[in-house]
Amino acid sequence: MPLKQEGALRQSQVITTYGPGSLVDLPDRSVIVGGLEYWTGGYPGEPGQQLQPISEERLVAKLKTYLQLERLELYPPPAAEDIGAPPTGRLPGIRVFEFPEWFVADWLDPNETRYRARPLVHKRRLVGGKFEAPTGKKCSVVAVRFVQGCENGHVSDMDWYGFTHYWDRDSTCRRPLWLEERGTSGELVDLFVRCECTQERSVAQAQRMGTEALGFCKGTRPWLGEDAGEQCKANADGAPFPNRLLLRSASNAYFAQVLRAISIPEPDTKVRMAVDVLWSGVLSTIPSRESLEQLMTVMKLPILTPLAAFGVDNVWGEIERRRGVGGGSSKPLKAAEIETLLSSASEIGEDVPTGADFFARRVAHTDQGAMKYVERVVLVHRLREVVAQLGFTRFEAVAPDIDGELKLDLRRAELAREVRWLPAIENRGEGFFLALRTDAVKKWMARDKVRARGEQLANGFAAWAASRQVKDAKFPGLPYYMLHSLSHLLISAVALECGYSATSIRERIYATDAGYGILLYTGGSDAEGTLGGLVEVGRRLAKSGDALEAALDLGRLCAHDPVCSQHSPDQAQEER
């Protein structure tokens, strides 16, 4: 077993928290994670053997639509267990760049007796990575915790000289800077940057929104290497965003933009089954139709003999479909999933020991108590979830809508200078699906109290969208609010008996024209998410309905009362 390398991350962390463009504190420095061009371990463009792509055609089709690409593949982040046996001769990993380039030295100014003042220096002034004090002592340094960024995801060092001198264009002062703590609160109002020319300024003023604080964004993208900047555009006129103060370790410094899809069985066709058998061994590496024809008809490779009956064109078409070449489906991701879960009379997928991405079985359920509002219960013994990152944002998170879709015009920072592939992971797990009767949901929506509450929620949503200037904001709708609340109550009710913690159970809410339902599932990159606990809970739920009754009982009292009970969603002062 190889030891965990210093700085190693789980693959799932890479595409959710520490992806390209994220700011990371290592033991002795601060860095920004490099873009996809700086990933090694068998990715497109590298010499030698290439990694196997992750296949999920519905997800790939959507990603191609969002990114306006004709061809796209998904690959996993570098795996730590591959160290020592790299397929390309290069160690797998992700290159990072030192960022920011300004540091605070661990040395107090002996001439300043009123405040704690430390040198604020650029890395060009460091000697061997240390600050050389006037006394000759070499002191350690730490990266300054303040940088600047914009809503397009760009990030750069603050212009500390320009900021300190109030953007005086006539000033050419480059005398030493000091960061002074003038209080014990740790707040920005107690932190000042001072130049030895006597100019000083409170760091709190960098929080001001507008051009007078930090100037306009120059489109800097240090995660993509040198000279990777672009024009920052805030609107159609091409005007840039004003820079905003950003704390490196703050929660709003990086929001990964990801899409998730549950692998659902495709219609069984003979050509798909035949290609699937030979995919990982031979077909995944064939570069063109001409190469396939050479192998099938001229060389007549014995292993490809089972494909001869389908013809070269059909086989090549299936290969391109698996690779995500061509156009995609316009059907929302969640719509196809719930249609599959609601369509089967008994079983969905194949119950085989290995190789199955999805297997579910519908079970009969009681119609007593709250279960009379349930249309069906489906036990999902095996499922595969593919999660792909297509970009990231700063300051404000952008999540898919209730159908699992993203808008085409959303702002996002790119993961590479030229996107040819995207990072993704596969999670395998189990769970159960609970579908509510459509007529029961509509009857509930027609109740006077529900309609009144819905108006409050809609007005609150409109106020939130207006304050953040969100264009074409779509109110999720009352069924989604109800299902989301019920989902969290169910998670709390089943967590103690299923063997998984509440934080390990995920939810997928379906509030579409096809139907209303909740999929509770768990998943991991290995067999850890397939222990069978959630399936067993679903089986007991179908027989007695105890878990649903317990969930509804939990909803009778909110832990945030009386604050929650006094909250009005459409109150302008709250905006929540």
Side-chain angles (χ1 to χ4, degrees):
M1 285 282 294
L3 295 176
K4 184 177 181 180
Q5 302 293 311
E6 181 179 328
L9 301 169
R10 293 193 301 271
Q11 288 181 304
S12 59
Q13 289 179 296
V14 174
I15 68 168
T16 55
T17 309
Y18 302 110
S22 62
L23 308 174
V24 181
D25 281 325
L26 297 180
D28 58 349
R29 67 188 66 189
S30 175
V31 298
I32 189 167
V33 178
L36 300 182
E37 292 93 346
Y38 299 99
W39 292 28
T40 57
Y43 296 100
E46 291 186 69
Q49 182 182 347
Q50 190 169 307
L51 288 172
Q52 288 292 330
I54 295 175
S55 176
E56 177 47 55
E57 63 173 279
R58 292 192 307 119
L59 183 59
V60 168
K62 288 296 179 184
L63 291 170
K64 289 193 300 181
T65 301
Y66 295 139
L67 300 176
Q68 299 181 353
L69 297 174
E70 286 294 326
R71 187 183 179 92
L72 183 68
E73 292 181 315
L74 305 179
Y75 288 92
E81 57 266 24
D82 291 338
I83 293 178
T88 62
R90 303 170 63 188
L91 288 177
I94 301 175
R95 182 180 173 185
V96 297
F97 301 93
E98 191 171 37
F99 182 85
E101 297 184 346
W102 281 86
F103 297 85
V104 179
D106 187 18
W107 187 74
L108 292 175
D109 183 6
N111 300 319
E112 179 55 68
T113 58
R114 297 172 300 169
Y115 313 116
R116 294 182 297 276
R118 293 178 172 85
L120 179 63
V121 296
H122 193 272
K123 74 173 185 179
R124 289 191 297 265
R125 290 187 55 195
L126 302 181
V127 179
K130 293 184 177 294
F131 170 74
E132 188 171 346
T135 60
K137 179 182 179 181
K138 291 188 177 180
C139 308
S140 60
V141 296
V142 295
V144 68
R145 58 192 175 109
F146 306 107
V147 294
Q148 62 188 16
C150 81
E151 295 174 36
N152 280 329
H154 303 135
V155 66
S156 63
D157 275 292
M158 286 177 57
D159 183 348
W160 287 102
Y161 281 104
F163 175 76
T164 306
H165 295 84
Y166 290 84
W167 306 103
D168 182 0
R169 295 185 178 182
D170 296 328
S171 174
T172 58
C173 179
R174 289 298 181 268
R175 299 182 67 180
L177 297 176
W178 299 82
L179 204 59
E180 295 183 347
E181 299 175 35
R182 300 185 180 182
T184 58
S185 67
E187 296 181 0
L188 296 186
V189 293
D190 291 333
L191 195 64
F192 284 75
V193 57
R194 171 177 58 84
C195 180
E196 289 191 353
C197 71
T198 71
Q199 281 280 16
E200 63 179 39
R201 193 172 186 183
S202 169
V203 177
Q205 294 184 18
Q207 289 183 303
R208 293 177 179 175
M209 296 294 291
T211 59
E212 76 282 355
L214 296 174
F216 285 105
C217 177
K218 296 181 180 179
T220 309
R221 301 188 295 179
W223 67 94
L224 298 183
E226 296 182 2
D227 304 322
E230 64 178 1
Q231 183 181 358
C232 180
K233 296 181 180 180
N235 49 48
D237 298 333
F241 275 111
N243 282 313
R244 295 173 59 179
L245 183 68
L246 186 65
L247 273 67
R248 290 188 295 104
S249 57
S251 59
N252 67 343
Y254 188 83
F255 296 102
Q257 197 172 89
V258 300
L259 273 186
R260 302 172 182 267
I262 303 293
S263 297
I264 56 177
E266 296 290 340
D268 291 333
T269 63
K270 293 181 179 180
V271 66
R272 290 191 180 188
M273 295 173 65
V275 169
D276 187 66
V277 172
L278 301 173
W279 177 254
S280 60
V282 179
L283 298 181
S284 63
T285 60
I286 295 179
S288 65
R289 183 194 178 283
E290 290 72 21
S291 299
L292 177 65
E293 185 175 16
Q294 177 78 8
L295 294 173
M296 287 181 61
T297 62
V298 180
M299 299 176 63
K300 295 185 178 180
L301 209 63
I303 196 173
L304 299 182
T305 300
L307 303 177
F310 305 112
V312 175
D313 289 336
N314 288 331
V315 174
W316 181 247
E318 173 60 16
I319 292 176
E320 288 201 313
R321 184 193 67 80
R322 292 181 67 104
R323 289 174 174 170
V325 178
S329 171
S330 59
K331 183 180 292 186
L333 291 171
K334 287 187 177 181
E337 295 168 13
I338 191 172
E339 286 175 4
T340 300
L341 290 166
L342 292 175
S343 63
S344 176
S346 56
E347 295 184 353
I348 310 171
E350 293 183 290
D351 186 13
V352 293
T354 59
D357 289 335
F358 191 93
F359 175 67
R361 179 181 287 120
R362 181 185 180 183
V363 293
H365 65 275
T366 179
D367 59 355
Q368 301 299 311
M371 292 297 290
K372 64 184 178 182
Y373 302 114
V374 174
E375 179 181 344
R376 67 167 54 195
V377 177
V378 179
L379 306 181
V380 184
H381 296 266
R382 296 187 189 89
L383 65 79
R384 170 180 177 261
E385 177 192 49
V386 179
V387 187
Q389 182 184 6
L390 66 156
F392 67 89
T393 59
R394 304 194 197 277
F395 300 106
E396 293 286 344
V398 177
D401 61 18
I402 63 173
D403 294 323
E405 303 289 293
L406 288 170
K407 293 181 180 178
L408 292 175
D409 59 348
L410 287 179
R411 297 187 185 279
R412 70 174 62 88
E414 299 292 348
L415 303 181
R417 296 195 189 198
E418 182 181 352
V419 178
R420 293 184 294 171
W421 60 274
L422 291 175
I425 58 170
E426 297 176 278
N427 293 321
R428 296 185 181 274
E430 48 105 7
F432 67 87
F433 172 73
L434 191 72
L436 301 185
R437 287 171 35 207
T438 302
D439 61 331
V441 173
K442 292 182 176 179
K443 185 177 180 180
W444 170 80
M445 291 174 60
R447 294 169 57 183
D448 292 338
K449 288 186 177 181
V450 173
R451 293 171 60 184
R453 184 65 173 175
E455 291 178 2
Q456 286 184 319
L457 292 171
N459 292 336
F461 181 85
W464 170 85
S467 65
R468 287 162 176 76
Q469 299 180 348
V470 180
K471 297 180 180 179
D472 303 325
K474 181 182 178 182
F475 179 60
L478 282 178
Y480 184 84
Y481 276 86
M482 181 267 292
L483 290 168
H484 194 197
S485 301
L486 179 59
S487 171
H488 280 245
L489 293 171
L490 266 174
I491 289 174
S492 299
V494 306
L496 293 177
E497 55 179 315
C498 71
Y500 301 105
S501 66
T503 55
S504 299
I505 303 175
R506 304 175 188 174
E507 62 178 358
R508 198 149 173 91
I509 309 299
Y510 300 95
T512 69
D513 294 337
Y516 304 100
I518 301 168
L519 173 64
L520 296 187
Y521 67 102
T522 186
S525 56
D526 49 24
E528 193 173 302
T530 58
L531 301 177
L534 274 179
V535 167
E536 185 58 32
V537 167
R539 183 176 287 111
R540 290 199 296 268
L541 169 69
K543 289 182 178 179
S544 65
D546 289 348
L548 184 58
E549 296 288 354
L552 295 175
D553 190 57
L554 286 172
R556 298 179 188 279
L557 179 65
C558 178
H560 293 284
D561 280 335
V563 176
C564 186
S565 62
Q566 296 172 354
H567 163 62
S568 177
D570 55 358
Q571 189 171 352
Q573 289 80 3
E574 295 188 58
E575 289 187 359
R576 61 188 179 97

